[in-house]
């Protein structure tokens, strides 16, 4: 399979970490060939569409998968796939569980997104803040390397949730995305099919 990577902004360390993580997993699969990879300046969707269209043209449409760093970049790739009548035929990833990303999943144009529950992040941060205010050492479950400070920082690491059509409902049930927004118009029946009542 010919895979292209649309990475996030080169100025965003998160984007670098996302790309490193993707390569750590996908580079080990001999069936996948990276045919193109480019960072998207400022996470800009319009630039992402231009970049992906150039990749599509350069490879004569022989692209079998798009690893997009977030839902906005993924949607940009989907817009070019729609233009070339290939949307829904090629897996496109995303991240952030946005309204647009979830609707693309319900449409079958995006295969998945990544959901990081804000409530879990907020609770973990609040517990750490309270511990620090009390002069205590907060409870952590791992470390993250800080390359600039050249040190390992005690951290609370949470597991992100991959979201597919089968569990879009979880994002709605958590209140991260409102059902009224997600299930408007043509999406009402698609939401019902996905178990969102």
């Amino acid at each position: 399979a010919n895979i292209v990577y649309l990475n996030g902004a080169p100025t965003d360390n998160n984007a670098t970490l996302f790309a490193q993580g993707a390569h750590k997993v996908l580079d080990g699969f001999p069936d996948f060939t990276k045919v193109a990879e480019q960072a998207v300046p400022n996470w800009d969707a319009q630039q992402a569409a231009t970049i992906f269209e150039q990749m599509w043209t350069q490879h004569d449409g022989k692209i079998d998968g798009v690893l997009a760093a977030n839902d906005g970049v993924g949607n940009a790739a989907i817009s070019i796939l729609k233009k070339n009548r290939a949307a829904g035929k090629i897996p496109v990833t995303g991240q952030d569980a946005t309204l647009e990303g979830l609707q693309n999943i319900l449409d079958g144009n995006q295969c998945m997104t990544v959901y990081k529950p804000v409530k879990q992040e907020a609770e973990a941060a609040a517990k750490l803040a309270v511990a620090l205010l009390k002069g205590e050492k907060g409870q952590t479950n791992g470390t993250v390397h800080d390359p600039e400070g050249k040190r390992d920082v005690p951290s609370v690491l949470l597991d992100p949730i991959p979201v597919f059509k089968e569990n879009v409902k979880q994002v709605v049930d958590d209140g991260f995305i409102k059902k009224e927004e997600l299930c408007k118009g043509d999406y009402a029946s698609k939401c019902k099919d996905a178990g969102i009542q």
Side-chain angles (χ1 to χ4, degrees):
N2 290 333
I3 307 296
V4 298
Y5 289 72
L6 286 171
N7 297 327
T11 53
D12 183 344
N13 188 51
N14 281 324
T16 301
L17 296 174
F18 298 151
Q20 287 172 352
H23 278 291
K24 188 175 178 182
V25 173
L26 295 177
D27 290 355
F29 286 89
D31 296 342
F32 295 153
T33 303
K34 179 189 82 173
V35 294
E37 180 170 12
Q38 193 168 334
V40 176
N42 301 316
W43 297 89
D44 183 83
Q46 188 139 12
Q47 289 188 61
T50 302
I51 291 166
F52 181 67
E53 189 160 34
Q54 290 167 349
M55 290 174 172
W56 182 263
T57 303
Q58 183 181 0
H59 296 285
D60 252 355
K62 292 182 175 77
I63 292 173
D64 304 305
V66 180
L67 188 125
N70 73 3
D71 289 345
V73 170
N75 189 63
I78 290 166
S79 72
I80 302 306
L81 292 173
K82 283 180 179 176
K83 187 174 158 182
N84 289 281
R85 295 186 177 87
K89 298 174 185 173
I90 295 170
V92 176
T93 67
Q95 183 170 218
D96 298 330
T98 64
L99 175 64
E100 181 179 66
L102 296 177
Q103 287 178 334
N104 279 331
I105 289 171
L106 291 174
D107 279 337
N109 292 328
Q110 183 171 321
C111 65
M112 62 82 64
T113 188
V114 178
Y115 172 47
K116 293 169 269 187
V118 175
K119 186 177 181 211
Q120 287 180 23
E121 292 176 347
E123 286 174 357
K127 284 179 185 173
L128 288 173
V130 168
L132 291 173
L133 285 170
K134 291 180 176 179
E136 300 169 358
K137 189 175 179 181
Q139 279 194 321
T140 61
N141 63 359
T143 59
V144 174
H145 184 70
D146 171 13
E148 287 186 28
K150 295 179 177 56
R151 61 192 176 123
D152 290 329
V153 180
S155 304
V156 175
L157 304 175
L158 303 172
D159 291 325
I161 300 166
V163 177
F164 304 91
K165 196 177 280 190
E166 298 75 27
N167 65 329
V168 166
K169 183 179 186 301
Q170 180 177 354
V171 182
V172 176
D173 289 347
D174 282 359
F176 187 69
I177 295 287
K178 289 183 172 56
K179 176 191 165 191
E180 297 73 32
E181 294 174 351
L182 179 64
C183 302
K184 275 185 190 173
D186 293 344
Y187 291 98
S189 63
K190 293 175 183 182
C191 281
K192 191 174 179 184
D193 291 345
I196 302 166
Q197 300 296 327

